[in-house]
Amino acid sequence: MPSRTPDVVAPPPGNPRFPLLDPLRAIAALAVVVTHTAELGGFNREHWLGAWTVRLDSGVAIFFALSAFLLYRPFVSARLDDRDSPRVRRYARRRALRILPAYWVAVILLGLIDAQHTPGVFGEHWWVYFGLLQSWNSGTIINGVGVAWSLSVEMAFYVLLPFYAWAMARIVRGRDRDGQARLELALLAASAVVAVVVRGLMHELRPASAFGNQLPGTWTWFVGGLILAVASAWLRPRELASRPRAARFATEHALGCWGIAFALLTVSAWWAGLGREPFALIPTLNLQFQHVLYAGTAFFLVAPMVFHDGRRSVPATLLATPVLGWLGLVSYGIFLYHQPLVFALLNTRLWPPVAGWVLYTALVILGTVAIAACSYYLVERPVLRYKEPRRGGTSTRSRAHAVAAKSES
């Protein structure tokens, strides 16, 4: 009998699960942790490897691409297969239960325990932070749980997505399956270009604006995931040989895709004209170049896991390890709770005469993972049991698992 998919990574009923994306979320979370310890611990500035560690903030782009793919695919798949679209109420319920309870607990705990590094959560504008609205104002964007600015952007994307799916269904109406997919892919590519241009213009006109860290300014990072969602749903019924060359490359050459991602990250580290200081003023052209490189890095990391067909590869073998799989389960807590430990354990880098930053980072990761596990088992997992409505004491997903188990027994 197959084991039950954990609620935290279970897709909506009737949709496939992409298990190698969960460990990739763990890698993105750990990348964010490392870039923060490297920044505060001085590694970014003092070591030649700092050129790479400072660019691990690209983990945010990976998060956005993953969210866009996983959330949009049920919508586009239903449209291409001429099925009913996912209900917005159910979608909103799943998103709210996935994000808000664990986040609210983190806000309250960190606001009480570490008020110095969690400003504003109990102040006059508390509703901004509890409502994940902080990214819409430059005065609040890094207050509260500082790293949650990106979660605020994701929340805005969650709200937008059903409207985007509704609008796209009407734009492509009347076309066949191939025509719908090709038109949407073209429109998405065009929107990414427009978003980068607008982002650059806004930076020229208002350099201190938070626009670059809001949903319109980060749209290109989401587009990569939306493109993969369309391509995955569109090409699913096709044999590999009949798929476009790019999709075949992603399936057959996972290591090659990751090599491209690493090459793009290397370009951003050494040849994009980017500094290593936080909040440094960067010329507009260089800043947009960084943005595009991060989008490409995320895209080429995610793409082979989307089109993975079970064949062996170094990336698939790495992501299939149980440790990374479990870290994927608790990765939300890693993201939420790591920043206070980055500050609290800073002096541990002075303990050993050499490799102090490595010890400091390891302690931050170990401590954060322990807290994240508590968040998952005590808050997230119990709440996520209610992601699907229950009728007669049995949830929709439980019935689906029972039917699957019976058919395989």
Side-chain angles (χ1 to χ4, degrees):
M1 181 180 296
S3 61
R4 185 177 183 275
T5 301
D7 291 296
V8 71
V9 293
N15 288 275
R17 180 171 172 249
F18 296 84
L20 295 183
L21 296 184
D22 307 323
L24 194 55
R25 187 181 287 110
I27 290 177
L30 293 175
V32 172
V33 175
V34 170
T35 200
H36 286 159
T37 61
E39 176 186 313
L40 197 63
F43 188 86
N44 288 344
R45 298 180 299 275
E46 299 166 4
H47 200 284
W48 69 275
L49 285 174
W52 273 293
T53 55
V54 73
R55 301 280 79 89
L56 292 181
D57 59 349
S58 56
V60 176
I62 300 172
F63 278 131
F64 288 0
L66 288 170
S67 291
F69 170 76
L70 291 169
L71 297 181
Y72 185 49
R73 195 186 185 284
F75 285 95
V76 69
S77 179
R79 190 189 76 219
L80 292 176
D81 294 341
D82 199 24
R83 293 183 283 106
D84 290 339
S85 179
R87 293 186 176 183
V88 174
R89 179 179 296 181
R90 173 176 284 181
Y91 162 82
R93 174 194 183 97
R94 290 172 61 89
R95 285 295 88 206
L97 290 176
R98 177 70 189 99
I99 297 301
L100 293 177
Y103 170 69
W104 286 338
V105 170
V107 170
I108 293 170
L109 289 179
L110 296 178
L112 292 172
I113 296 171
D114 190 23
Q116 179 183 357
H117 299 118
T118 318
V121 296
F122 298 130
E124 180 182 359
H125 301 292
W126 62 270
W127 52 273
V128 171
Y129 306 105
F130 280 85
L132 281 171
L133 300 170
Q134 60 265 48
S135 67
W136 295 105
N137 187 292
S138 58
T140 60
I141 190 167
I142 59 172
N143 286 345
V145 179
V147 296
W149 72 266
S150 61
L151 191 59
S152 174
V153 174
E154 288 220 41
M155 182 60 73
F157 175 77
Y158 300 159
V159 174
L160 173 67
L161 186 60
F163 296 98
Y164 168 83
W166 175 85
M168 190 55 63
R170 277 143 186 79
I171 290 172
V172 303
R173 186 166 47 192
R175 297 172 180 268
D176 63 14
R177 183 186 181 91
D178 289 354
Q180 288 185 41
R182 290 193 176 102
L183 177 58
E184 184 170 9
L185 291 174
L187 292 174
L188 282 170
S191 76
V193 174
V194 171
V196 172
V197 172
V198 172
R199 192 175 189 272
L201 291 174
M202 287 297 295
H203 187 261
E204 280 291 304
L205 296 173
R206 299 176 59 192
S209 168
F211 182 87
N213 295 100
Q214 296 169 347
L215 178 58
T218 56
W219 176 250
T220 301
W221 291 353
F222 288 102
V223 165
L226 294 173
I227 285 175
L228 289 172
V230 175
S232 171
W234 171 38
L235 300 174
R236 174 183 50 80
R238 293 194 185 185
E239 295 293 334
L240 179 62
S242 66
R243 295 181 179 182
R245 182 178 299 177
R248 295 201 307 270
F249 182 85
T251 303
E252 298 172 339
H253 303 286
L255 186 59
C257 285
W258 276 30
I260 294 172
F262 181 75
L264 294 173
L265 196 64
T266 301
V267 171
S268 69
W270 292 101
W271 296 294
L274 305 171
R276 303 189 191 184
E277 295 291 334
F279 309 113
L281 292 178
I282 301 173
T284 297
L285 185 61
N286 301 76
L287 193 62
Q288 307 325 307
F289 189 31
Q290 176 199 37
H291 191 70
V292 173
L293 289 169
Y294 280 12
T297 298
F299 181 86
F300 283 103
L301 284 174
V302 175
M305 303 306 108
V306 165
F307 292 106
H308 180 64
D309 63 353
R311 69 184 65 208
R312 294 176 63 87
S313 68
V314 172
T317 300
L318 172 66
L319 294 178
T321 57
V323 171
L324 273 181
W326 181 79
L327 288 174
L329 287 181
V330 304
S331 59
Y332 187 35
I334 294 174
F335 170 79
L336 287 176
Y337 287 100
H338 77 273
Q339 196 168 33
L341 293 185
V342 170
F343 290 105
L345 298 176
L346 178 61
N347 287 337
T348 62
R349 77 192 193 284
L350 304 176
W351 289 358
V354 293
W357 172 78
V358 174
L359 174 65
Y360 163 50
T361 301
L363 291 174
V364 169
I365 290 174
L366 289 173
T368 303
V369 168
I371 298 171
C374 293
S375 174
Y376 173 67
Y377 290 109
L378 299 179
V379 181
E380 296 170 54
R381 190 170 71 168
V383 168
L384 289 171
R385 293 172 182 168
Y386 301 97
K387 277 169 62 173
E388 295 301 327
R390 296 169 180 264
R391 296 185 180 90
T394 304
S395 70
T396 301
R397 186 172 304 284
S398 296
R399 292 196 304 273
H401 278 286
V403 170
K406 183 177 180 180
S407 65
E408 296 183 16
S409 61

